[in-house]
Amino acid sequence: MTPADLETVFEELALAIDATAEPKRELFLAKLALLLAHDLNDPARLRSHLAAAAAKLDA
Amino acid sequence: MRPAGRADTDSLYFTYPHFDAPVRNAGSDDSAPVAIVGAGPVGLTAALSLAGQGIRSVLFDNKDTFNDGSRAICISRSSFQILERLGAVSPFLEKSLGWTTGRSFYRGQQILEFRMPDSPSEKYRPMYNLQQQYIEQFLWQAAAESDLIEIRWQSEVSAIADEAEGVRLTISAPGDTYEFRAAWVLAADGARSTIRTLRGLRLQGENFEGRYVIADVQMAHDYPTIRRALFDPDCRRGGTILVHRQPDNIWRIDYQLRDGEDEADAIREETVRASVAAVLTEIGYSGEWDLEWWSVYSANTLALDDYRDGRVFFIGDSAHIVPIFGVRGLNNGLADAENIGWKLGWVLNGRAGEALLDSYSPERRGATLDVFANASKSARFMTPPTAGWTLMRDAALNLALTHPFAGELANPRQMTPYTYSASPVVQADDPGFETGPVPGAALTDAVVGDGFLYDLLGPGFSLICFDPALAGQFADTDITVCLLQAGSPAAQSLGASAHSAYLIRPDGHVAGRWRSAQAGDIRAALQQATAMPKDATT
Ligand SMILES: Cc1cc2nc3c(=O)[nH]c(=O)nc-3n(C[C@H](O)[C@H](O)[C@H](O)COP(=O)(O)OP(=O)(O)OC[C@H]3O[C@@H](n4cnc5c(N)ncnc54)[C@H](O)[C@@H]3O)c2cc1C
């Protein structure tokens, strides 16, 4: 992904989260995670992404 | 429970028998090689298994009829194989409804249709639905035909004491308290086992929070025998519902209670009627229906640390309680009963060493732990215990509306027979095999001629081989020899060459297998499988 692509994805994620009503945001993100995990097709990498996402949440 | 005005056994379609207490006199024999506490489905199966080995047993039950209500309704293929070995399968086949398919729905839309493994090389379907009182009735009929089985109804076992060569039970019957002596005791006295309490033992494990109301209705509903699971339906947001067809136009509706839902209120007749009516609307049924029976059930995973306590063996619900979703509660208990039945029979007949009995607990407790692992997975999907499980479950169901891969997460995967891999009486595998059941696994069935491989097995150990010379070496033993054609479908499914052999135990599990078999290896495996000393002749 080029820096420009990443920026586009970043914006689209923000817009999609805003477009989802508050009570459904968690569900939306969980569905997205499942879809991406299925596409990734690599449980070990998913596990390392999980750890990376969980790191420094309180920074 | 039943609607107001109807007694516990006042069923719309089943006539419960009444069993009198036995009349004892001076000549009554108050001893037996084996005493069985509890004449539920598991105790009766154990008695039949012992009788199959020529061993007499006496069963005690504190009730005067069968268990009330349909309770455990799903009987698995492996249980049908047990029933066949006990010579009791015919009425089950005639009355029950076989099935292979399940459908799961999310908010009214179908997200998954699954089929359990089945093929023309299997004699029995993966699952059959039949009310538990029929299961008990058919087992009782088979037991009543045996001279080796005596059932004492209205007879409660109230005390148990060890003696030098056996166990002494105290029996409390109407107007009559007496002692009974047995060399061995099978505690088949259910989830609230008296024997377990008297021996100071406790079930260990996790308690799941999920509670279900299980209700039976009689109605002329036109839908095939397919298990339906409704997730998050309109009539019960956040809950899960299971719908099963049973014989006699009876339909089982299991619905989950919400966290805050009061159990006492949930099982009031009006509440049950209203909840059932809402489910029927959800599945599109608008005709007449009658309420037959209901109860409440919670999802537990509890087991004894050891299924043996000296001369007492725990079988069925007295040893383990599993969640209903895996439909293994009763099936697991029937396998316990057959496992201890043939082993005790062989020991009492002097054909096996007493050490064989030590294999009961590791084999059957291992099977329970395996059920726990599977059932806990199902339970977490059916009744998610925490916010994380709930969110991911909901995400999977919601995604399944558009992406079938996510629907597979709703597949309960009910039926994988357990392999006794860590058993002391099972051989290590021969690495030469590329396929086929490993030692400890249940033999896979196959078509042989006009019938099935299982039909050829004997009441004791059986040898499956393809070489007439090898078969000839076992002709004058009590092993049943099944000589099959090399290259036949059975040989292929066993991964066998013309010189291969399988040794099969009385319970249909593989004791050992050899790619290129020698008679001496087979004899040694039989000695190990019966815990006989190496030099004993067989
Ligand atoms: C209300 C209810 C609903 C259920 N629903 C389901 C379901 O939907 N699906 C499912 O898979 N399973 C269900 N089960 C579980 C299933 O019924 C059991 O797994 C099965 O009955 C176990 O058989 P068992 O022979 O081990 O014990 P039980 O069937 O409990 O039999 C034990 C017998 O021992 C007798 N007894 C007890 N103590 C003594 C004593 N001291 N002396 C003499 N006799 C004694 C009892 O009267 C009873 O007859 C349900 C159970 C109950 C109670």
Side-chain angles (χ1 to χ4, degrees):
Chain A
M1 213 182 307
T2 63
D5 283 344
L6 182 63
E7 197 170 354
T8 312
V9 167
F10 173 82
E11 285 165 10
E12 280 171 1
L13 278 171
L15 291 171
I17 290 170
D18 273 340
T20 308
E22 169 68 50
K24 297 288 179 191
R25 272 184 197 154
E26 261 199 328
L27 181 67
F28 165 74
L29 289 170
K31 279 178 72 178
L32 184 64
L34 258 184
L35 265 174
L36 292 173
H38 188 251
D39 268 4
L40 185 63
N41 195 20
D42 185 346
R45 257 185 92 195
L46 179 83
R47 240 165 269 133
S48 82
H49 288 337
L50 275 178
K56 303 202 188 291
L57 282 175
D58 298 321
Chain B
M1 278 157 278
R2 300 205 187 254
R6 277 166 55 200
D8 269 357
T9 53
D10 195 354
S11 163
L12 293 171
Y13 64 97
F14 185 87
T15 309
Y16 282 84
H18 171 88
F19 299 117
D20 290 330
V23 182
R24 285 177 61 258
N25 54 41
S28 296
D29 183 3
D30 288 328
S31 69
V34 185
I36 303 174
V37 187
V42 174
L44 286 165
T45 300
L48 289 166
S49 176
L50 285 162
Q53 305 296 340
I55 301 297
R56 187 170 71 87
S57 65
V58 175
L59 290 128
F60 298 94
D61 200 289
N62 53 11
K63 298 186 284 60
D64 61 6
T65 188
F66 303 133
N67 281 311
D68 73 293
S70 63
R71 298 188 181 195
I73 58 167
C74 296
I75 319 179
S76 65
R77 170 183 290 146
S78 56
S79 293
F80 263 64
Q81 290 165 339
I82 292 173
L83 294 168
E84 174 169 304
R85 285 192 286 270
L86 301 177
V89 80
S90 317
F92 287 90
L93 265 181
E94 206 162 296
K95 184 76 191 176
S96 65
L97 303 171
W99 59 279
T100 52
T101 306
R103 289 181 184 151
S104 298
F105 301 82
Y106 172 60
R107 301 203 160 173
Q109 287 186 63
Q110 187 172 318
I111 52 156
L112 171 74
E113 175 165 310
F114 65 89
R115 273 178 228 287
M116 290 183 285
D118 202 8
S119 81
S121 63
E122 292 286 356
K123 183 168 187 175
Y124 296 110
R125 306 288 61 77
M127 205 68 83
Y128 293 86
N129 285 355
L130 184 67
Q131 293 91 326
Q132 186 168 325
Q133 71 270 26
Y134 282 118
I135 300 175
E136 295 182 30
Q137 181 186 35
F138 298 158
L139 289 168
W140 169 77
Q141 280 165 358
E145 281 168 18
S146 170
D147 294 338
L148 294 169
I149 302 174
E150 183 193 341
I151 309 179
R152 299 190 186 182
W153 298 98
Q154 301 187 43
S155 302
E156 171 147 314
V157 177
S158 52
I160 180 166
D162 288 327
E163 297 190 324
E165 291 291 303
V167 179
R168 187 177 74 241
L169 300 175
T170 305
I171 315 298
S172 313
D176 188 14
T177 296
Y178 60 96
E179 298 197 326
F180 189 96
R181 286 181 167 75
W184 303 95
V185 170
L186 302 182
D189 51 347
R192 295 208 179 84
S193 171
T194 312
I195 304 295
R196 202 176 60 218
T197 308
L198 290 172
R199 303 292 285 203
L201 302 171
R202 288 178 63 99
L203 297 172
Q204 311 287 339
E206 278 180 75
N207 257 303
F208 272 91
E209 289 302 310
R211 295 166 304 161
Y212 275 71
V213 170
I214 59 181
D216 276 1
V217 300
Q218 191 168 44
M219 59 180 177
H221 178 38
D222 187 20
Y223 200 86
T225 311
I226 285 177
R227 169 198 190 267
R228 277 176 283 179
L230 317 180
F231 292 99
D232 212 9
D234 286 338
C235 66
R236 201 155 262 279
R237 273 277 174 266
T240 306
I241 298 171
L242 292 176
V243 182
H244 271 290
R245 183 177 165 200
Q246 306 168 61
D248 300 316
N249 278 340
I250 300 293
W251 293 80
R252 163 68 68 79
I253 292 160
D254 296 355
Y255 53 89
Q256 187 193 347
L257 296 182
R258 278 171 283 253
D259 270 352
E261 224 165 333
D262 177 46
E263 192 168 306
D265 180 56
I267 57 173
R268 278 175 46 234
E269 182 175 340
E270 305 89 288
T271 318
V272 173
R273 281 187 187 279
S275 306
V276 166
V279 175
L280 297 184
T281 305
E282 178 97 27
I283 61 172
Y285 178 79
S286 55
E288 301 278 300
W289 56 277
D290 268 328
L291 185 58
E292 155 71 2
W293 172 83
W294 70 91
S295 181
V296 67
Y297 197 88
S298 51
N300 294 300
T301 51
L302 297 167
L304 283 175
D305 287 337
D306 190 344
Y307 289 2
R308 178 178 183 179
D309 181 26
R311 290 182 166 269
V312 181
F313 294 90
F314 291 87
I315 59 178
D317 276 17
S318 71
H320 47 74
I321 302 176
V322 307
I324 52 175
F325 324 112
V327 302
R328 308 279 195 89
L330 179 58
N331 294 307
N332 210 25
L334 299 182
D336 294 347
E338 189 191 37
N339 191 294
I340 193 62
W342 79 261
K343 288 176 181 171
L344 258 185
W346 276 61
V347 169
L348 285 164
N349 285 326
R351 297 164 80 192
E354 237 180 80
L356 176 59
L357 304 175
D358 296 335
S359 66
Y360 167 70
S361 190
E363 288 189 355
R364 294 309 308 159
R365 190 165 182 278
T368 304
L369 298 183
D370 185 58
V371 170
F372 283 0
N374 282 309
S376 306
K377 262 188 207 161
S378 298
R380 279 197 304 254
F381 204 85
M382 306 290 274
T383 58
T386 62
W389 290 106
T390 308
L391 177 62
M392 287 316 297
R393 198 281 302 261
D394 289 348
L397 290 169
N398 196 286
L399 188 60
L401 292 171
T402 50
H403 290 70
F405 83 83
E408 276 304 321
L409 290 162
N411 188 333
R413 269 180 274 279
Q414 283 159 333
M415 265 265 312
T416 24
Y418 180 69
T419 298
Y420 300 142
S421 46
S423 170
V425 292
V426 158
Q427 294 284 304
D429 197 12
D430 179 338
F433 280 95
E434 276 165 17
T435 181
V438 299
L443 176 67
T444 40
D445 211 352
V447 171
V448 177
D450 296 339
F452 292 89
L453 180 54
Y454 265 78
D455 301 340
L456 306 177
L457 302 178
F461 280 80
S462 303
L463 179 69
I464 299 172
C465 64
F466 309 85
D467 173 6
L470 183 66
Q473 299 199 54
F474 291 90
D476 53 0
T477 68
D478 52 14
I479 295 181
T480 302
V481 179
C482 315
L483 180 63
L484 305 179
Q485 289 288 322
S488 62
Q492 283 167 21
S493 83
L494 296 174
S497 74
H499 303 287
S500 300
Y502 275 73
L503 183 66
I504 309 299
R505 314 196 316 183
D507 58 9
H509 282 258
V510 177
R513 62 174 185 170
W514 303 266
R515 245 327 254 188
S516 184
Q518 308 295 322
D521 295 338
I522 296 166
R523 286 200 197 93
L526 184 64
Q527 276 168 358
Q528 184 183 346
T530 52
M532 281 303 234
K534 286 266 181 294
D535 52 337
T537 43
T538 42

